[in-house]
Amino acid sequence: MKTTRLRTHSLVSALLLLMLTSMSARAQVADDFLSQLHSFRVSNYVSLDAYYRFIGSGTTDTLNEIVAGINTANDSMNLLAKSTSGVLTNDQIEGLNSEFDKFKALMRDNINDVRNTGYPDLRLVSDMANQALVMNDTATELYQVAQENSQTETDPRVEAARLGAVKIAQMMAKYSVRTNSSVAQTFQGSSTEKPLDEQAKEFDQLLATVVEGKSEGELKDLLNDVAAKWQFIRGSYINYNENNVGFVIDRYSKRILESLTTAIGVLQQNT
């Protein structure tokens, strides 16, 4: 009888361990999916920022930045399509991919215009900016759906850092079109996008959430770096019509984005 009870207990323990392991594996796959969806959103705004600077400079280095951003987004899109997480349907993923294809086509046409004629087609630039916003809105909606379907809770600080990274990339692109391109006076980016000062205040709130809680070692250094650099450029985003120092804003924004990306990884390791 005692032997039977021991065997039963061992079997129950093994099944429980298997269930927990399976749940953990599914949660990891789902979080990987969310991470790729996050990377997709950020990378497209990075490429858009580079394009606006390409209008003014036409340099190979800036063109390479556009290509790198598109390639990173493309890699993320491919991984999303291959994912076995099941948190989104094939139709939902294909819908996002279709929006991405439109954005890539517009980016290609806009680059060719600048290379062939030396100046942009304002209609095409406007179309691309609006497509970027449509695509990002679609990705954001799908991110929220994927979160709900995965039935896993993302750490609030990780979530705020991800949203902050998307926000700073979006702001960086919008600032670039105002300060670095020849179309600044006639084209101001997407017609439905929030003004920069409003986006800056939203970033304030997201950063406040990220810095809450325990931070030691590398994480503390990263968040201090983000906070310091943000305070240096915040006024230019709030008063963007008065403080026109595009190359400084772009450089510091990128460093904020890099530190936030690293901080996300550290936060995930600590959870």
Side-chain angles (χ1 to χ4, degrees), residues 187-253:
F187 173 70
Q188 299 297 336
S190 170
S191 59
T192 59
E193 202 170 27
K194 289 183 180 180
L196 274 170
D197 55 340
E198 289 185 26
Q199 292 187 54
K201 292 171 184 176
E202 290 178 353
F203 186 82
D204 282 337
Q205 297 173 352
L206 293 168
L207 183 56
T209 299
V210 178
V211 300
E212 286 179 358
K214 187 176 181 180
S215 298
E216 296 179 342
E218 182 185 10
L219 180 60
K220 183 178 180 180
D221 291 341
L222 287 165
L223 296 183
N224 285 342
D225 181 66
V226 170
K229 285 181 170 56
W230 174 241
Q231 284 306 309
F232 186 77
I233 63 174
R234 181 181 183 277
S236 294
Y237 276 124
I238 294 291
N239 302 301
Y240 51 87
N241 288 323
E242 299 176 11
N243 300 291
N244 194 353
V245 282
F247 72 96
V248 175
I249 304 305
D250 196 76
R251 182 190 307 160
Y252 275 67
S253 296

Side-chain angles (χ1 to χ4, degrees), residues 151-165:
Q151 297 182 340
T152 58
E153 291 188 13
T154 306
D155 179 89
R157 296 174 76 189
V158 170
E159 190 60 31
R162 283 177 175 170
L163 289 171

Side-chain angles (χ1 to χ4, degrees), residues 132-145:
L133 190 62
V134 169
M135 180 175 61
N136 184 63
D137 286 346
T138 300
T140 298
E141 291 173 6
L142 292 180
Y143 185 95
Q144 294 168 348
V145 171

Side-chain angles (χ1 to χ4, degrees), residues 61-189:
D61 286 345
T62 310
L63 179 59
N64 288 340
E65 287 185 51
I66 300 173
V67 174
I70 292 293
N71 285 345
T72 300
N74 206 63
D75 289 344
S76 293
M77 191 73 249
N78 289 336
L79 289 171
L80 290 172
K82 295 176 182 177
S83 174
T84 59
S85 66
V87 293
L88 291 178
T89 67
N90 290 335
D91 286 344
Q92 288 172 319
I93 295 173
E94 184 52 40
L96 179 60
N97 194 24
S98 177
E99 298 296 344
F100 183 42
D101 284 342
K102 294 176 187 176
F103 176 72
K104 287 188 292 185
L106 286 165
M107 179 66 81
R108 181 179 60 251
D109 291 344
N110 276 288
I111 290 172
N112 287 337
D113 271 340
V114 175
R115 296 181 74 178
N116 295 333
T117 68
Y119 55 87
D121 179 323
L122 296 184
R123 179 187 60 80
L124 279 178
V125 177
S126 179
D127 288 346
M128 181 171 64
N130 284 306
Q131 179 58 29
L133 190 62
V134 169
M135 180 175 61
N136 184 63
D137 286 346
T138 300
T140 298
E141 291 173 6
L142 292 180
Y143 185 95
Q144 294 168 348
V145 171
Q147 274 187 312
E148 294 173 3
N149 290 344
S150 67
Q151 297 182 340
T152 58
E153 291 188 13
T154 306
D155 179 89
R157 296 174 76 189
V158 170
E159 190 60 31
R162 283 177 175 170
L163 289 171
V166 173
K167 185 65 63 179
I168 198 72
Q170 187 176 17
M171 291 165 60
M172 184 171 68
K174 192 171 182 67
Y175 200 93
S176 283
V177 77
R178 289 178 175 275
T179 60
N180 291 306
S181 77
S182 59
V183 299
Q185 299 304 315
T186 55
F187 173 70
Q188 299 297 336

